[in-house]
Amino acid sequence: GVYFLINNTNDFLFPTKGYNIALLLEDGNNIPLLLSEIGGYNFNSPIYYKVFLNSTAYLPIYEEETSALGLKFQSGYIHTYSGNKFSVPSNQRFYSGGSNSVRGWGARELVPQTKNINLEGVSNQDLLRGVSPGGFFILEGSIETRNRIIGNFGGALFVDYGNTWNSLEEFQFKTVAVAAGFGLRYYSDFAPIRIDFGFKVYDPENQKTIFENENIFKLNLGIGEAF
């Protein structure tokens, strides 16, 4: 694969203005397929490509240069054009939730709700991979205001949204998870140390809001900003 990055922020670890755009392009199994053709052996793994776009922007809307409004949008897609897509390794798929994602959910808790799999010609190993979590399409975003309170201590308010799906066709706005919350920051010399308190504003699994859900709270710890 190849990775392209444009970094136009004023600081790599503590950005308060500017933007980032990153693009990841990956090819899955075309080289092993070519080697199998040359070597004359059977190759049964799926052939696919993966695209992932991540973009962030930091708006200096405050008088203090140490505070900013941060925006994030990212999306990715895996397309299998030969073989069973559910045989794509789970570590190559997309996951959502966690301290750098939708912070009302734990790490990798947001996975596709539909588990429909065509079992024709699928081995036991492929079947195990097929029922494992991980999506083939992801869409996420965040809005976060970051403000220094006193000295090296600061706070944040945020809204996150996103989820993963097995295909583009499965995407619906009612299946997008929404979280909101607040956080505390200590800006050390090497990286921000943060604690975020996330709440499920809308849970697409049961289509309930923050007023209807149980277990809506999630504590997230991290080093570095969420984006």
Side-chain angles (χ1 to χ4, degrees), residues 2-225:
V2 292
Y3 181 75
F4 302 95
L5 172 64
I6 298 173
N7 182 3
N8 191 34
T9 59
N10 61 333
D11 192 290
F12 186 75
L13 292 177
F14 308 94
T16 56
K17 61 181 178 180
Y19 63 88
N20 274 320
I21 300 176
L23 178 65
L24 173 68
L25 303 174
E26 287 187 351
D27 169 77
N29 289 331
N30 265 302
I31 293 178
L33 175 64
L34 177 62
L35 295 177
S36 71
E37 294 290 337
I38 296 174
Y41 62 89
N42 191 25
F43 185 79
N44 295 320
S45 297
I47 313 298
Y48 63 94
Y49 66 81
K50 180 178 181 179
V51 181
F52 185 74
L53 173 69
N54 179 281
S55 60
T56 57
Y58 308 95
L59 309 180
I61 64 173
Y62 302 103
E63 293 183 2
E64 304 86 359
E65 294 184 356
T66 54
S67 299
L69 179 68
L71 307 173
K72 179 186 79 172
F73 176 79
Q74 62 183 26
S75 184
Y77 179 63
I78 298 173
H79 176 69
T80 303
Y81 49 92
S82 178
N84 188 332
K85 74 175 184 179
F86 290 99
S87 294
V88 173
S90 58
N91 63 352
Q92 291 296 314
R93 304 189 197 180
F94 297 116
Y95 298 86
S96 192
S99 63
N100 296 316
S101 181
V102 186
R103 283 166 276 185
W105 281 259
R108 298 192 171 196
E109 281 188 350
L110 286 169
V111 295
Q113 297 180 35
T114 58
K115 303 293 191 298
N116 297 326
I117 305 172
N118 181 4
L119 301 180
E120 182 178 356
V122 179
S123 66
N124 291 334
Q125 182 180 11
D126 289 341
L127 179 60
L128 290 175
R129 288 176 175 175
V131 298
S132 67
F136 300 89
F137 173 60
I138 185 172
L139 185 146
E140 282 188 355
S142 296
I143 303 173
E144 179 174 290
T145 177
R146 301 168 182 169
N147 304 86
R148 293 288 181 106
I149 299 174
I150 182 171
N152 290 334
F153 291 91
L157 297 173
F158 59 84
V159 175
D160 303 326
Y161 62 89
N163 210 336
T164 62
W165 297 266
N166 279 326
S167 66
L168 284 168
E169 292 74 20
E170 285 186 1
F171 172 80
Q172 294 180 339
F173 285 106
K174 68 179 182 180
T175 61
V176 177
V178 181
F182 62 93
L184 302 175
R185 305 286 187 268
Y186 174 72
Y187 293 95
S188 68
D189 293 335
F190 65 94
I193 300 172
R194 59 187 172 90
I195 301 176
D196 286 328
F197 303 88
F199 300 87
K200 296 177 181 177
V201 175
Y202 172 74
D203 188 347
E205 185 173 358
N206 51 30
Q207 299 187 17
K208 290 184 178 181
T209 67
I210 190 172
F211 304 106
E212 304 169 298
N213 258 316
E214 298 178 358
N215 301 320
I216 64 171
F217 169 75
K218 186 66 67 173
L219 175 65
N220 296 280
L221 305 177
I223 297 178
E225 296 287 8

